[in-house]
Amino acid sequence: MLLCLSLSLLAGVALAQKPRVVVPTGSTGGVFFFYGQAIAKILSETGVAEATAQQTGGSYDNLLLLRDRTDPGANTYYCALTTTDAALVTYTGQEPRFKEKRADSQRILFYMYPSLIHIVTTEKSGIKVVQDLKGKRVSTGQPGSSTENLALLVLEGANVKPESFGKRERLPAAESAKALAEGTIDAYFWVGGVPTASIVELGQSLLRKGDRIRLVPVTPQSTTAQLLLKRFPGIVSTGVVPKSVYGTATDIPALFTGNVFVCPASMPDSLAYAITKAVFDNLKTLETATAAARDTTLKNSADLYAAKTVVPFHPGAVKYFRETGAIK
C-alpha cells in the first residue's frame, strides 16, 4: 500500500514538472494559425511538453508574449512563430514597442518557411501596380502586425501614402479575403506562407462570380524592392509566385521574408533540443496541417544558421543540428 502510494506521488511530481509550452500563432486564415496548432499537437503527443496554441495577431504579439509571459520559475515558456524581419527589429530594439525592453531573449530553434508579401486584388479592380492603390479601399493588415509594418514599407517605397486611399481598413487575413470577395474593399496586404488557404478560397470564390484573383507585382528593380532589401539585408528576398499557386493569369514577381520558430534563451537546452527533435521527427504531421511546412527542412535551418543573422540560435537546437550532421 505504501509502495503504491509512493509511486503515485512520484508520478504526480513528474507530471507537475513537465514543462508548459505556449505557442502563439496568428489570425485564422493564415498559415501561422495552422502551423502553430500542429506544433502544439506534436509537442503534446510526443510528451515533450504540455503544449497549447494561442490565436494572436501574429509576429509582434507573439514576441511580446515570449518577452513578457515566459516564466522559467513556473516551467512555462512562450515560443513565437515570427517573420525574420520582426525577429530582427524586436531583438535590436528598432521596433518602437521593443525600444525600452527588447525581445533580445529570443533564440531561433529552426527555420519554418518563406512568407510572401501578398498584395491581393481582383482583375476587375483595375489595380495593376502599387501606385494604383491610391483612391482605393485597402486593408493593410492588423494594427501593429508584421503585415502592417511591411505593407507600410511597400507603400513608402512606391511613394503611396495610406492617407491617399479612398478608405483604409486594418483587417486580418480571413476577414480581408471575405471583404474583397464581398466587394467592400478593393485590395489588401497579407504576409503569409504560400499557399495561404484563405487566398486560395478567395480565388475560387471570385471565379464563380466571373472575376479572377490578381497579385500586384513587385519587381526586383522597383524602388519598393530596393527599399526593403536595403532595410532587411539577407532577410527579405525577391522571387516569383507561379500562376498555378493562386490561379493568377501570369507568374508574379514578388517579395518574400522568412519565418522562424523562436523560444526564450531561458529555456533549458534539453527542452529546446527535445522540441527541435520532435518537430523534425514529425514533419509529415506538420505538412498535413499546412503545405508551407514543406520548407521546414534541416537544410533551410542550417543555411539560416550559416548566414549568421543577428538573432542567435538556441544551443539546444544547435546540438540537434550537429547530431544530424546538418551543421558541422
Side-chain angles (χ1 to χ4, degrees):
M1 183 71 176
L2 286 173
L3 178 60
C4 291
L5 182 60
S6 297
L7 289 173
S8 295
L9 288 171
L10 286 171
V13 170
L15 184 63
Q17 290 177 340
K18 181 174 283 190
R20 178 172 177 254
V21 173
V22 181
V23 184
T25 59
S27 61
T28 57
V31 175
F32 270 16
F33 180 78
F34 300 105
Y35 195 107
Q37 293 275 356
I39 291 285
K41 180 180 179 183
I42 288 169
L43 299 185
S44 292
E45 292 187 351
T46 56
V48 169
E50 292 180 358
T52 55
Q54 178 179 334
Q55 183 184 343
T56 68
S59 297
Y60 291 105
D61 283 355
N62 300 348
L63 291 163
L64 283 166
L65 287 166
L66 181 151
R67 185 192 72 182
D68 299 336
R69 298 290 293 277
T70 291
D71 184 357
N75 213 10
T76 297
Y77 303 92
Y78 279 73
C79 292
L81 280 69
T82 176
T83 58
T84 42
D85 56 277
L88 171 66
V89 297
T90 57
Y91 185 88
T92 58
Q94 293 170 266
E95 159 62 32
R97 286 166 291 176
F98 295 81
K99 187 174 182 180
E100 298 301 322
K101 187 181 180 185
R102 296 184 295 162
D104 55 358
S105 63
Q106 62 178 288
R107 297 291 183 270
I108 298 171
L109 262 63
F110 55 87
Y111 177 90
M112 300 194 300
Y113 58 87
S115 271
L116 168 66
I117 303 177
H118 298 78
I119 311 172
V120 188
T121 186
T122 70
E123 290 282 354
K124 291 183 177 180
S125 71
I127 299 169
K128 296 182 179 180
V129 295
V130 178
Q131 286 80 2
D132 291 337
L133 295 173
K134 293 178 181 179
K136 302 294 186 179
R137 300 164 299 172
V138 183
S139 172
T140 52
Q142 283 180 278
S145 64
S146 180
T147 291
E148 183 176 64
N149 281 13
L150 287 171
L152 294 176
L153 284 173
V154 167
L155 293 168
E156 179 185 335
N159 196 29
V160 176
K161 298 183 184 300
E163 297 79 34
S164 70
F165 295 158
K167 182 182 181 183
R168 180 184 177 185
E169 298 282 6
R170 303 172 81 186
L171 306 171
E175 286 82 349
S176 288
K178 183 173 184 287
L180 186 60
E182 293 176 348
T184 58
I185 62 172
D186 302 303
Y188 70 92
F189 286 84
W190 166 247
V191 177
V194 177
T196 291
S198 58
I199 300 177
V200 173
E201 293 167 8
L202 170 64
Q204 295 167 349
S205 174
L206 289 172
L207 281 175
R208 289 192 294 269
K209 297 177 180 179
D211 203 349
R212 191 174 194 166
I213 197 169
R214 172 183 282 160
L215 296 182
V216 179
V218 178
T219 63
Q221 300 79 19
S222 67
T223 53
T224 291
Q226 292 306 309
L227 173 66
L228 271 79
L229 291 169
K230 183 178 180 180
R231 187 73 59 92
F232 301 109
I235 289 178
V236 169
S237 60
T238 59
V240 173
V241 186
K243 60 184 179 181
S244 59
V245 174
Y246 292 121
T248 52
T250 62
D251 296 344
I252 306 296
L255 293 173
F256 292 80
T257 184
N259 296 284
V260 286
F261 187 79
V262 299
C263 292
S266 59
M267 174 178 280
D269 291 1
S270 58
L271 178 55
Y273 173 93
I275 290 173
T276 308
K277 184 177 188 305
V279 169
F280 282 93
D281 282 350
N282 292 276
L283 287 178
K284 291 298 180 185
T285 299
L286 203 54
E287 289 173 17
T288 299
T290 173
R294 64 183 176 274
D295 288 307
T296 304
T297 65
L298 290 172
K299 182 182 184 304
N300 283 340
S301 285
D303 287 348
L304 183 63
Y305 178 82
K308 299 186 184 300
T309 59
V310 174
V311 183
F313 272 69
H314 196 293
V318 173
K319 179 184 177 184
Y320 174 78
F321 294 131
R322 290 193 190 285
E323 284 185 3
T324 60
I327 62 176
K328 306 301 181 186

